Amino acid sequence: MPPRRIDPIGDESDSDVSIFDDFDESGRGKGKGKGKGIDRNKKDKGKGKAKEQPYAWEASYTRSWDTVQEDEAGSLQGAVADLIARGRRRRLLAPAAAIRRTIIRHLILILDLSSAMMDRDMRPTRFDLMLQYAREFVTEWFDQNPLGQIGVVGMRGGLGERVGEMTGNPQDVLKAISERHKLEPSGEPSLQNAIDMARASMSHLPTHSSREILVVFGSLTTCDPGNIHDTLAECVKDRIRVSVVALAAEMKICREFCDKTGGTFGVALNEGHFKDLLFELIPPPAQRAFARASSGAPANPAADLMLMGFPTRLPETSAAGLCACHSQLRSAGFLCPRCGAKVCDVPTDCDICGLMIVSAPHLARSYHHLFPVKPFQPVMSLEGTQNPSVGCHACAAPFKEQTAGAAGAADGVSPLGRYRCAECHNDFCTECDVFVHDVVHCCPGCGK
Amino acid sequence: MDRASHLSTIVDLSPAQWTLSGSAPKERHSLDLQSFLSQLLIFLNSHVACKDQNTLAIFGALPGRSVMLYPSTTQAAGSNSADANTYRPFKVLDSTVIDSLSKQVEALDASETEAPVGLVGALTKALCYINRVAALATENDQTVAVDPRILILSVSPDQSASYIPIMNSIFSAQKLKVTIDVCKVYGPDSVFLQQAAHLTGGSYIHLDRPDALLQYLTMSFLPPPSIRQLLAVPTQDKVDFRAACFCHKRIVDIGFVCSVCLSIFCQPVPVCSTCRTKFPIKTLQRLNAARPTILTSAATPTSGNASTFPSSTTNRVATTNGNGPNPNGVR
């Protein structure tokens, strides 16, 4: 096969796409909408401004086709495999230090329902894509934050509109955003009205829980009744963290909201990047700096010791009894460990003695954020290791014998495909390395 | 029905517990390791026989570590001469399991036989294995190894210290849609394994007659989960949703929880040991006042040896009694 020249535009539209779809969204050079225009601009005119960083929010955006190198045979396979391995390891290298995380979370999801959402620069429309990702976001969010609550507010026709009440039940939230015809976009959005509404619905929450607002913003304008900087000041005062995912471009007021309240701001470059930006907000945030500053005082208002009960679950087959919450005759339920009252569902507060009843698995779901698995060290060479293991310690897949080329040596990628746990000195394959850190959160060798 | 299924079996091989199980009086229907293994092998053979594409992996939880018994990493099974009277896959399976098992048991040091078994390691290895099998299947665009499940044959009591890793494994099993079945052959009910079976939709069975193990296995654990919906598989009557506290690894039913990191403590503490948060002194006083008095006296003697597993029933009774007089102490 003759060596093939890599053409940036041609490459982005065929072979690269399928691979980077899954593994390296941010590195994907898809030229939908703005991206494409910029590329042409760069190619045709090569003007200084468009050359390196066309827009401020694209600064961290690397063009994968610039970094891909062919090997001697002119094949891209090695380079692609390397990129995939790199993309997998990228997240694992993030510091696993921040142990103070807010775990009882309250989030208001603000969805832009203005006419700008009917734009088709994201397929099928911004609006449909937003709804689809919002559903996935809610499911994943509740999976990782079982004690959290989500409310939904829409921005439409210059008003803030309550779409779903704050609730801890993922089904209720999903139901609120499932009916597309009720959310049909129209008119102008109003950032101030929506944020004020979100703020008001979170004002009664206890201090030890987090208050967050996530705005999905497609419009480039906002139509506000007053001074939005007052709203910003109120949010800072109430310690509400505002994060914005913009679909069009960076707006100064959005950036300011995020910077001042400690949230994150991002502009979605393409469909995959949009999803990445949303899903980055799922893990519980590390506690903010100024909350820690106030903990210097003897009593930290942001933290408290809570009394919680772990109930016993009664099966469907047990003798029926009246539940304490609805006074209905039911056989299934949970028994309060302190007063023995029967409640229908957990987590809840016992109606008789007021004890907070949670099931232990609810709490345990969050523990992997607190006790992360230490990153495995890539094994660079087998020198100095006495009789190295033949296969992966976890899945027993045999390791490859030869090195995978010098290109993979940097960037925390092992040329041997071996990753070693610092505690138990067992070797794991790439597959298990990622699986252990992303899903299991427990090293098979040392059980920690 | 027509799909193949994958079964990962985890065998608890604690020498101490098996000795106890084998030496129990005959009228209690005791089961020793030898007959356990022969009954287990029949069950595994019947799993292989059920369908051609059925796959099997066996993991052993030994004191302090865990190993994969089958498929064997070292190729030894081929050396066995064919037996005219045995179906070859059965022969390979049986000899591999027995070979690697005896090798592992011989390698055991007498000093470590008392150590707790590496159940967590075996469980995570089983998950990693299933993950790899599933990844391979999607790569080759086959639909092998659908309905993966894990069967745990347990004889050891709960180890409170491994609460977090076990829960993490359970959640990843949920994510992978792996059903975890638990067969408690000997010993008291295991709180963690009950939760594992409940959360993943498997069944937890505590054997009343351990010597009839094979019958329990074939009747309840042989059919894959998709068929079990049509069958009346024994279910759990009560699931215990209690957790182990972080300070003494004791199993508690009322705990004190840090609002920042959700660490559970069995008594009010001024500073969270996990995230170093200081708690307001007012809360401490309030909680101390509301605390049942009996719990305090019960807690002091056991606090010295953190690793002991307190009998769940006595602990439970103590708390309920202690809470009787002042049910509205807090709030």
Side-chain angles (χ1 to χ4, degrees):
Chain A
M1 181 185 147
R4 194 161 59 101
R5 223 188 111 248
I6 312 163
D7 176 67
I9 304 289
D11 212 54
E12 82 181 7
S13 58
D14 51 60
S15 61
D16 254 1
V17 175
S18 57
I19 294 153
F20 295 113
D21 246 357
D22 295 326
F23 296 104
D24 199 358
E25 300 285 8
S26 61
R28 193 172 77 172
K30 292 288 282 124
K32 294 254 165 66
K34 261 158 270 42
K36 194 145 204 157
I38 295 151
D39 287 335
R40 290 228 183 83
N41 197 12
K42 176 187 157 194
K43 212 179 169 193
D44 297 340
K45 295 169 194 163
K47 286 211 171 140
K49 192 191 164 213
K51 202 160 193 177
E52 282 308 314
Q53 291 178 10
Y55 289 117
W57 63 85
E58 291 188 344
S60 62
Y61 186 65
T62 55
R63 290 175 170 72
S64 58
W65 58 86
D66 286 347
T67 56
V68 168
Q69 296 278 315
E70 295 171 29
D71 60 14
E72 301 83 32
S75 159
L76 286 175
Q77 202 165 25
V80 168
D82 186 40
L83 268 173
I84 291 171
R86 238 168 255 261
R88 283 177 159 186
R89 291 261 323 157
R90 188 170 40 112
R91 257 180 311 160
L92 302 182
L93 295 173
I99 204 165
R100 269 177 92 125
R101 288 176 181 275
T102 322
I103 281 175
I104 303 180
R105 301 173 72 185
H106 291 92
L107 174 81
I108 296 274
L109 185 61
I110 299 183
L111 301 176
D112 189 347
L113 302 176
S114 67
S115 48
M117 293 305 285
M118 292 314 281
D119 218 329
R120 290 183 177 274
D121 61 347
M122 293 188 181
R123 311 274 159 175
T125 60
R126 286 181 183 177
F127 172 66
D128 285 311
L129 193 69
M130 173 181 76
L131 284 189
Q132 184 200 329
Y133 285 163
R135 276 177 221 130
E136 290 171 27
F137 173 81
V138 168
T139 317
E140 186 66 25
W141 196 89
F142 275 109
D143 192 51
Q144 295 208 19
N145 304 282
L147 295 177
Q149 297 194 6
I150 290 188
V152 187
V153 168
M155 292 187 284
R156 175 158 63 176
L159 293 172
E161 201 176 297
R162 196 175 301 283
V163 177
E165 292 290 334
M166 184 84 101
T167 169
N169 185 345
Q171 295 316 317
D172 291 351
V173 183
L174 289 175
K175 204 175 151 209
I177 54 174
S178 66
E179 287 170 63
R180 189 180 176 281
H181 64 275
K182 281 193 184 163
L183 303 170
E184 205 58 48
S186 71
E188 290 280 306
S190 169
L191 197 57
Q192 189 185 15
N193 279 335
I195 289 184
D196 272 335
M197 173 174 270
R199 199 168 56 81
S201 56
M202 287 196 287
S203 57
H204 65 283
L205 296 176
T207 50
H208 57 69
S209 66
S210 81
R211 305 167 189 194
E212 293 162 60
I213 294 178
L214 167 60
V215 188
V216 182
F217 205 52
S219 172
L220 283 172
T221 54
T222 160
C223 156
D224 293 334
N227 185 357
I228 196 164
H229 288 95
D230 295 344
T231 312
L232 172 55
E234 290 290 321
C235 284
V236 174
K237 205 180 94 202
D238 287 353
R239 293 188 178 174
I240 297 177
R241 182 198 308 253
V242 183
S243 299
V244 179
V245 176
L247 302 183
E250 180 168 330
M251 277 166 74
K252 181 153 194 313
I253 186 64
C254 295
R255 166 70 79 178
E256 210 168 310
F257 255 107
C258 300
D259 288 350
K260 292 217 168 134
T261 59
T264 56
F265 178 83
V267 178
L269 301 164
N270 53 50
E271 290 89 340
H273 191 223
F274 178 27
K275 190 172 179 181
D276 277 358
L277 286 175
L278 273 184
F279 277 55
E280 269 166 27
L281 296 166
I282 289 178
Q287 241 189 12
R288 267 185 289 170
F290 72 81
R292 184 168 301 188
S294 70
S295 75
N300 179 6
D304 211 343
L305 204 56
M306 298 174 292
L307 196 60
M308 285 191 187
F310 305 105
T312 307
R313 180 181 161 275
L314 296 176
E316 289 285 349
T317 47
S318 61
L322 293 175
C323 73
C325 40
H326 309 98
S327 301
Q328 277 172 352
L329 200 62
R330 297 172 56 110
S331 42
F334 296 86
L335 285 186
C336 169
R338 186 158 67 182
C339 62
K342 184 156 137 185
V343 292
C344 292
D345 213 352
V346 287
T348 183
D349 286 350
C350 174
D351 291 287
I352 307 298
C353 67
L355 182 71
M356 191 192 279
I357 307 176
V358 294
S359 76
H362 278 126
L363 293 184
R365 246 176 213 287
S366 307
Y367 287 151
H368 68 83
H369 295 302
L370 308 172
F371 309 102
V373 188
K374 290 202 185 98
F376 292 166
Q377 297 304 320
V379 179
M380 289 306 169
S381 72
L382 285 177
E383 286 162 31
T385 329
Q386 280 144 2
N387 33 1
S389 53
V390 193
C392 167
H393 185 69
C395 68
F399 287 120
K400 48 189 171 189
E401 293 286 323
Q402 82 286 12
T403 53
D411 223 8
V413 178
S414 163
L416 297 159
R418 285 175 183 245
Y419 300 90
R420 187 167 293 168
C421 172
E423 296 258 334
C424 60
H425 304 291
N426 285 313
D427 289 0
F428 299 92
C429 64
T430 321
E431 191 93 20
C432 290
D433 175 29
V434 174
F435 182 67
V436 162
H437 284 91
D438 278 1
V439 183
V440 185
H441 304 292
C442 166
C443 170
C446 41
K448 280 179 193 152
Chain B
M1 170 64 228
D2 281 319
R3 295 181 300 178
S5 75
H6 172 83
L7 172 69
S8 280
T9 314
I10 295 171
V11 189
D12 184 343
L13 294 168
S14 161
Q17 294 298 325
W18 274 113
T19 317
L20 287 176
S21 167
S23 59
K26 263 280 174 270
E27 58 270 25
R28 300 269 306 277
H29 311 293
S30 62
L31 179 73
D32 58 4
L33 186 58
Q34 202 126 37
S35 55
F36 164 76
L37 283 177
S38 60
Q39 298 195 29
L40 177 66
L41 283 176
I42 298 173
F43 167 72
L44 296 175
N45 283 339
S46 45
H47 170 77
V48 174
C50 268
K51 194 157 176 59
D52 235 10
Q53 294 93 338
N54 275 0
T55 48
L56 181 66
I58 303 164
F59 299 85
L62 289 144
R65 64 207 161 93
S66 55
V67 284
M68 189 180 207
L69 299 174
Y70 178 89
S72 171
T73 43
T74 52
Q75 199 55 50
S79 60
N80 288 309
S81 55
D83 185 346
N85 293 323
T86 328
Y87 180 47
R88 197 174 142 72
F90 291 175
K91 172 89 183 160
V92 172
L93 169 67
D94 294 0
S95 56
T96 316
V97 172
I98 294 300
D99 279 357
S100 40
L101 196 63
S102 49
K103 224 179 279 169
Q104 292 298 335
V105 171
E106 269 164 35
L108 267 186
D109 207 0
S111 60
E112 57 179 16
T113 49
E114 291 288 328
V117 293
L119 180 66
V120 176
L123 195 53
T124 42
K125 272 178 195 168
L127 286 168
C128 282
Y129 187 80
I130 289 175
N131 179 50
R132 183 167 70 100
V133 169
L136 274 180
T138 45
E139 212 167 85
N140 302 341
D141 215 24
Q142 298 163 336
T143 41
V144 240
V146 279
D147 293 343
R149 62 201 156 107
I150 295 178
L151 169 63
I152 304 177
L153 296 148
S154 161
V155 285
S156 308
D158 272 334
Q159 303 149 36
S160 315
S162 62
Y163 174 65
I164 296 171
I166 290 217
M167 291 314 277
N168 280 339
S169 319
I170 296 173
F171 295 133
S172 34
Q174 261 184 325
K175 231 174 215 174
L176 287 179
K177 299 202 167 55
V178 174
T179 311
I180 298 182
D181 292 316
V182 181
C183 181
K184 189 80 189 165
V185 180
Y186 174 79
D189 270 329
S190 157
V191 176
F192 301 160
L193 295 180
Q194 273 183 341
Q195 293 186 10
H198 173 73
L199 290 171
T200 57
S203 24
Y204 174 96
I205 296 180
H206 186 278
L207 299 193
D208 296 326
R209 301 251 333 231
D211 54 345
L213 173 76
L214 183 60
Q215 178 141 16
Y216 285 100
L217 289 177
T218 32
M219 296 313 240
S220 3
F221 296 122
L222 191 57
S226 52
I227 299 177
R228 277 195 225 158
Q229 297 163 355
L230 311 171
L231 304 172
V233 180
T235 50
Q236 301 169 69
D237 49 344
K238 242 184 195 185
V239 186
D240 215 331
F241 276 119
R242 289 178 302 161
C245 75
F246 285 28
C247 43
H248 304 105
K249 308 285 181 208
R250 206 179 288 149
I251 297 199
V252 292
D253 53 9
I254 296 186
F256 300 88
V257 179
C258 167
S259 71
V260 178
C261 63
L262 301 186
S263 307
I264 306 168
F265 303 100
C266 58
Q267 54 203 27
V269 286
V271 179
C272 171
S273 59
T274 312
C275 64
R276 313 240 167 273
T277 308
K278 286 188 189 114
F279 299 120
I281 199 83
K282 262 189 191 158
T283 321
L284 287 182
Q285 287 166 347
R286 184 165 54 85
L287 291 177
N288 264 322
R291 230 165 124 224
T293 43
I294 290 178
L295 226 177
T296 340
S297 55
T300 349
T302 44
S303 59
N305 47 353
S307 58
T308 49
F309 175 81
S311 143
S312 53
T313 41
T314 51
N315 189 7
R316 172 88 130 307
V317 168
T319 21
T320 7
N321 286 349
N323 279 302
N326 55 345
N328 47 6
V330 175
R331 277 169 191 260

